[in-house]
Amino acid sequence: MTDETIGTEATGDPVTDFHQRVIGDAAAAVRGLTVSLGERLGLYRALAVHGPQTPAELARRTGVTVRYAEEWLHAQLSAGYVERHPSSNKYTLPDAHVPVLANPSAPTFAAGFFTALKALYATEDLLTEAYRTGDGVGWAEHDPALDTGMGSFFRPTYQHRLLPDWLPSLHGVTEKLAHGGSVADVGCGVGDTTRLIAQAYPNARVYGFDYSEDAISIARQLAEDEGLSERVVFDVASADDYPGSGYDLVTFFNCLHDMGDPVTAAQHVHKSLDPDGTWMLVESNVSPADIDTHTPAAHMFMALSAVMCLPVAVAQRGPKALGNHSGEKAFRGIAEEAGFTRFRRASETPVNAVYEVRP
């Protein structure tokens, strides 16, 4: 079910039909804020754990007022996210919706992304000026909610794919890590992937680098909370100057396209790797050919590129701002220009492509 089909039928008039489609998009944009509220206030989780509830019961369990709980539930009902039992005035989160809205450990969890909207909408004025001047909007100009929200968006895939699929798809990497290899996780954000690697490979030396001080601060706290502060080191550093050499593995998770000078970043990876090391490059599984396609992933990436990825890259005033749908051909060219001689697609999901890049 999509916004175009909920409560609307094609009229045959192209203006009217398109107008209804845009109204549906506007509804989805506003609904995103209600999803963020549902995630932050634990409303979805309460529905998932405790089953059918009246607004008063949901309010009592989550610490919100009854009137607001009622209005929030009306918005969710209108969207088709919850169901209502008229005779009891109880609302239910359907079983099929739980892993999307209420279970952060599920591979399909998506509600956390909406908490990033606060950061994206708050920089609209900066973005408007950037469009006029050609300047960018740097990551640090956004609220820290962008770090946590985007981390939440990618985390389920990382949790379910990184250890059982992506790392084993790389030649000899898991064996090196098991025997004490070294890892540089560059552009690590709040450190979800860094901590996953450190947890899985206790003998490995794991470092996380990001140029966002807010993200690194969050990453350090999360590592401490998980008892990993002695096994993983987080430092503020950019992709073209992070310290260390002889790394067995350097990882870039959905960040090369956010860099203003991706070739220089790739050259630094080449310099920092062991001669037999591996650069694992994880990027959006979209390309310029997907611009006019209508899959959910393409819709998401094209919109994010226009308001976040491209402006972040432009803000770095480098020679090449990619956007998030530059595609495999562009990444292969960057790797070759940086001196790498081996490049292959090692794994993929509908959202991500995993490339193995070697000297």
Side-chain angles (χ1 to χ4, degrees):
M1 184 177 292
T2 67
D3 291 317
E4 293 83 9
T5 61
I6 295 176
T8 64
E9 294 182 2
T11 66
D13 174 54
V15 174
T16 300
D17 290 344
F18 182 66
H19 175 254
Q20 290 303 300
R21 175 184 166 189
V22 172
I23 293 298
D25 288 346
V30 179
R31 184 185 310 131
L33 181 55
T34 75
V35 178
S36 178
L37 290 169
E39 164 63 9
R40 293 179 64 185
L41 294 168
L43 299 169
Y44 293 120
R45 289 188 292 276
L47 287 169
V49 171
H50 299 287
Q53 296 167 69
T54 65
E57 290 169 336
L58 181 62
R60 184 174 66 253
R61 287 194 170 103
T62 57
V64 304
T65 65
V66 175
R67 185 66 185 88
Y68 275 115
E70 182 181 49
E71 204 76 356
W72 181 83
L73 285 165
H74 290 172
Q76 304 308 295
L77 182 66
S78 174
Y81 285 14
V82 303
E83 296 173 349
R84 181 173 61 182
H85 309 275
S87 61
S88 62
N89 194 36
K90 291 192 174 185
Y91 294 76
T92 299
L93 186 66
D95 289 344
H97 298 189
V98 171
V100 180
L101 296 173
N103 183 2
S105 64
T108 52
F109 182 68
F113 168 80
F114 293 87
T115 62
L117 293 179
K118 175 176 72 171
L120 292 174
Y121 279 106
T123 54
E124 182 181 351
D125 289 345
L126 295 176
L127 191 61
T128 301
E129 186 65 16
Y131 265 61
R132 290 184 176 132
T133 63
D135 290 334
V137 180
W139 193 276
E141 296 181 83
H142 292 282
D143 186 274
L146 189 61
D147 289 306
T148 54
M150 294 308 298
S152 181
F153 175 58
F154 288 113
R155 186 179 301 120
T157 298
Y158 296 157
Q159 289 176 330
H160 289 267
R161 292 284 191 161
L162 176 58
L163 299 178
D165 180 8
W166 293 355
L167 285 176
S169 74
L170 307 175
H171 179 72
V173 165
T174 56
E175 293 82 357
K176 291 178 181 178
L177 298 185
H179 291 90
S182 58
V183 182
D185 188 10
V186 181
C188 66
V190 296
D192 291 323
T193 49
T194 327
R195 300 192 318 278
L196 283 171
I197 294 172
Q199 289 168 343
Y201 298 97
N203 295 325
R205 291 161 290 142
V206 184
Y207 304 86
F209 303 110
D210 199 282
Y211 79 146
S212 168
E213 293 184 6
D214 287 328
I216 290 297
S217 177
I218 295 170
R220 287 171 175 162
Q221 184 60 56
L222 291 171
E224 183 175 342
D225 293 344
E226 296 175 11
L228 293 171
S229 54
E230 298 298 321
R231 289 169 44 195
V232 60
V233 176
F234 288 105
D235 279 320
V236 176
S238 65
D240 58 6
D241 70 358
Y242 62 88
S245 62
Y247 290 111
D248 295 294
L249 176 67
V250 173
T251 59
F252 278 46
F253 290 93
N254 291 288
C255 63
L256 185 66
H257 66 255
D258 290 332
M259 298 175 187
D261 192 350
V263 173
T264 296
Q267 289 171 338
H268 191 67
V269 174
H270 192 281
K271 178 182 176 182
S272 72
L273 272 175
D274 180 84
D276 191 40
T278 300
W279 179 20
M280 182 168 74
L281 176 63
V282 179
E283 275 292 340
S284 311
N285 197 7
V286 287
S287 72
D290 295 306
I291 292 173
D292 57 357
T293 63
H294 299 289
T295 64
H299 285 168
M300 168 72 81
F301 282 120
M302 301 307 156
L304 277 177
S305 198
V307 302
M308 183 184 74
C309 302
L310 182 63
V312 165
V314 171
Q316 298 171 44
R317 302 184 182 279
K320 184 182 295 187
L322 292 172
N324 67 17
H325 51 279
S326 46
E328 180 172 339
K329 182 178 179 181
F331 296 128
R332 183 185 294 272
I334 288 168
E336 291 175 352
E337 189 173 348
F340 289 93
T341 63
R342 289 169 285 179
F343 185 102
R344 73 178 180 93
R345 182 181 289 240
S347 186
E348 65 181 321
T349 72
V351 173
N352 290 123
V354 180
Y355 303 109
E356 179 186 72
V357 192
R358 305 190 69 191

